[in-house]
Amino acid sequence: MAEQFLPGVPRPGRPPRPGVRNLAQHDIRDARARLRGTIYEDVTPDTRSREQYSPVQIVDFCLDLAEVMLASGADTRSVETAVVAVSTKWNLAPLDLDFSGSSVTIQYAPSDHPPLVKVRTVQSDGSDLDRLARANQIVDDLVHGVRDMTGAVSALVAVLRMPPRWPTWLADVGLSVLGTSIAMQAGGGWRAGVGAFVLMLGIIVSGRWLTGRGFPQFFVSGAQAAVASALGTLAIWGDVLTATGAATMVAALVVLLLPHVSLVTWAQDAISGFRSMAVARAFYIVLVIAAIVVGVPAGIAVLHWLSIEVDPTGIVLRPLPLWASLSLTVVSAAANCFVQQASARVIPVAVVFSVAAGAFLWELRHLGMPLLGATFVASVLLGVLSTIAAARMRTAVAAIAVPAFCGALLPGVAVSNALLNFMSGSSGAALDFVAAVSVALGIGAGLVLGGLVATPGARRALRRARRVTVHSVHNDTTAIPVLRGTGYDPGNGTVPRGHRPR
């Protein structure tokens, strides 16, 4: 008599077949609501009967993805969009995300199983645009069915193990060139530019040395600002530089000491509703700004105690003409691509968009618009251009927008005026400095609005990019569909490709 088995119970020696998770309608509506207005708004769950990944595997991958993106300089909205799109594609809902400062928490709480909760801490807070772009490309491949989980995990591991796109010495030289460009754009002249280059190199080396010995960033930034203001005052006292040149030289250093990428992402998080992340970023930003505000007058006070004084009153900064300013914008944007570790293929695009934003800002200022409003409008234009171009190039928006706004929109002239007020002992110098820093908040707000405006066009551009038709060169001239840009592959054949969607 044949052995009987109860229905629904797997037979001995035969592994159970993975089932297909079906998302409830309210879970689908929740996922679509969270993706509304993003480039992945149209993602749908994959319900084909094939191998289903376990919730633990998917949550672990989403945590790895979030860690890579946050550590590479992404704003929180972009990270949430990527995680929700991937989990929706893999039929994992409801999925709750919580971003709290330096950690990410993901909770999967189905109605018929115990909840799964995992936490990941993000150790670094830097900017690596090449790594961010490659992580974004992996997400794009997953959403469009080009990669499976095996290929995605292998590619993400390869991204994590990648060395920096550009060597450290080249990034240091790029940051020094950026300081030279900012000083000359503010009207400091070539001597101020050379001084900014030398001063920036010295500050980079000394800051890395202090940080490597455990000094917190607050004390490092304060010491750097104090040394810069003291050297600027000595340059005026010794007739090496004029007061204008010294102010622009120090202003270039102060502008680059500001966490401008964090300032922009803070504005993006605050506007997008991620209050916990915005508060955490704001606390870090306030500490750095406070260190600079304390350090600049401290350096001047030390020289005053040594009876070394200068009188920079009555000096007015004269910005460069448009052609010279745009020429330096090209240099600034290109140099910042090396500083932020952007890939080589985005450098021409970032430079062109930076020139467009700089020219638009210059025109708005000459029409009488205040600096904050003009910077906001120019950032909206930059956000629109960067969002559409990123969809066409299958890269992250930040990989284009960050070098572009650093090249054209940083408030070098406003910071220089605030430093002149510091040197002259003006009572409102601190308020002037805070007002200059607030321009960076306008950049973040403009990029968010520009991205929202351009997202529908970016979705259409992405769909067109994946519908490529190639005609055969043989006798059969029937059009055949092919996939273009199948994602990141380190080139050694270790990353398997996913199956083509049918």
Side-chain angles (χ1 to χ4, degrees):
M1 182 176 178
E3 188 177 358
Q4 299 295 325
F5 296 97
L6 295 176
V9 178
R11 298 185 180 184
R14 180 177 299 179
R17 293 183 179 180
V20 177
R21 286 185 299 270
N22 295 318
L23 298 187
Q25 287 300 317
H26 60 84
D27 292 333
I28 295 177
R29 286 194 298 268
D30 177 69
R32 288 177 177 173
R34 297 167 76 177
L35 293 174
R36 186 174 296 120
T38 70
I39 197 171
Y40 299 128
E41 185 179 63
D42 301 326
V43 65
T44 56
D46 190 354
T47 57
R48 291 178 294 178
S49 58
R50 59 185 178 87
E51 180 184 358
Q52 293 296 302
Y53 313 122
S54 69
V56 175
Q57 289 176 309
I58 299 175
V59 170
D60 285 340
F61 177 82
C62 290
L63 284 172
D64 291 339
L65 178 65
E67 181 183 5
V68 171
M69 295 184 70
L70 285 174
S72 300
D75 63 287
T76 312
R77 176 60 171 161
S78 300
V79 179
E80 185 196 53
T81 299
V83 171
V84 173
V86 170
S87 62
T88 303
K89 183 68 176 181
W90 285 342
N91 304 284
L92 195 69
L95 196 71
D96 296 324
L97 285 87
D98 181 54
F99 299 89
S100 56
S102 60
S103 64
V104 182
T105 304
I106 296 181
Q107 175 180 275
Y108 172 58
S111 58
D112 54 345
H113 289 84
L116 172 65
V117 182
K118 287 202 169 190
V119 182
R120 182 68 55 83
T121 300
V122 181
Q123 298 292 341
S124 60
D125 186 19
S127 181
D128 192 328
L129 299 181
D130 182 52
R131 184 171 295 174
L132 177 61
R134 295 183 186 276
N136 184 85
Q137 197 172 60
I138 294 172
V139 174
D140 188 64
D141 286 343
L142 288 173
V143 169
H144 293 90
V146 181
R147 286 188 188 272
D148 58 5
M149 174 170 279
T150 303
V153 171
S154 300
L156 194 60
V157 169
V159 170
L160 286 170
R161 293 176 177 175
M162 282 175 54
R165 179 65 180 84
W166 307 107
T168 302
W169 68 266
L170 186 57
D172 293 346
V173 171
L175 191 60
S176 302
V177 170
L178 183 58
T180 299
S181 179
I182 292 175
M184 296 181 68
Q185 279 181 316
W190 68 270
R191 288 187 178 182
V194 173
F197 183 90
V198 176
L199 181 61
M200 198 68 222
L201 269 181
I203 289 297
I204 291 171
V205 175
S206 61
R208 187 178 294 130
W209 184 83
L210 290 173
T211 303
R213 276 150 184 79
F215 285 89
Q217 187 62 41
F218 175 82
F219 296 110
V220 174
S221 298
Q224 290 172 331
V227 170
S229 62
L231 290 177
T233 304
L234 287 174
I236 300 174
W237 180 72
D239 290 330
V240 178
L241 291 174
T242 63
T244 302
T248 56
M249 179 186 72
V250 178
L253 172 69
V254 171
V255 167
L256 296 180
L257 282 179
L258 290 172
H260 43 269
V261 177
S262 296
L263 277 165
V264 172
T265 52
W266 172 80
Q268 291 173 322
D269 289 347
I271 293 171
S272 301
F274 297 94
R275 296 178 182 86
S276 297
M277 289 294 293
V279 169
R281 293 185 195 273
F283 189 73
Y284 166 72
I285 292 168
V286 168
L287 282 178
V288 174
I289 293 176
I292 296 173
V293 170
V294 172
V296 169
I300 299 175
V302 170
L303 294 182
H304 178 73
W305 180 69
L306 296 175
S307 300
I308 298 177
E309 299 183 12
V310 296
D311 182 19
T313 57
I315 297 176
V316 179
L317 297 176
R318 300 184 183 278
L320 297 178
L322 179 61
W323 68 268
S325 179
L326 293 183
S327 300
L328 291 172
T329 296
V330 173
V331 176
S332 299
N336 198 57
C337 287
F338 296 102
V339 176
Q340 304 290 343
Q341 300 294 328
S343 60
R345 69 190 185 102
V346 306
I347 294 179
V349 180
V351 168
V352 171
F353 288 175
S354 183
V355 170
F360 194 48
L361 175 65
W362 186 88
E363 184 63 29
L364 292 175
R365 291 288 289 154
H366 277 72
L367 291 176
M369 185 175 290
L371 177 61
L372 182 58
T375 303
F376 171 76
V377 177
S379 300
V380 172
L381 173 65
L382 180 59
V384 170
L385 296 176
S386 300
T387 301
I388 296 177
R392 291 181 175 273
M393 299 176 66
R394 299 186 64 234
T395 188
V397 177
I400 300 174
V402 170
F405 82 70
C406 288
L409 303 180
L410 291 182
V413 176
V415 173
S416 299
N417 280 318
L419 289 174
L420 283 174
N421 293 333
F422 268 122
M423 292 178 180
S424 60
S426 174
S427 58
L431 293 178
D432 293 337
F433 182 76
V434 173
V437 172
S438 66
V439 174
L441 308 183
I443 297 174
L447 291 177
V448 171
L449 181 58
L452 292 175
V453 171
T455 295
R459 281 198 300 267
R460 291 192 294 270
L462 185 61
R463 286 196 295 266
R464 285 195 298 268
R466 289 191 171 274
R467 293 176 181 173
V468 184
T469 301
V470 176
H471 293 276
S472 174
V473 296
H474 302 290
N475 294 331
D476 183 9
T477 58
T478 304
I480 57 174
V482 300
L483 293 175
R484 185 177 66 184
T486 54
Y488 170 71
D489 188 339
N492 55 11
T494 60
V495 178
R497 297 294 188 184
H499 300 292
R500 282 190 179 183
R502 298 187 182 276

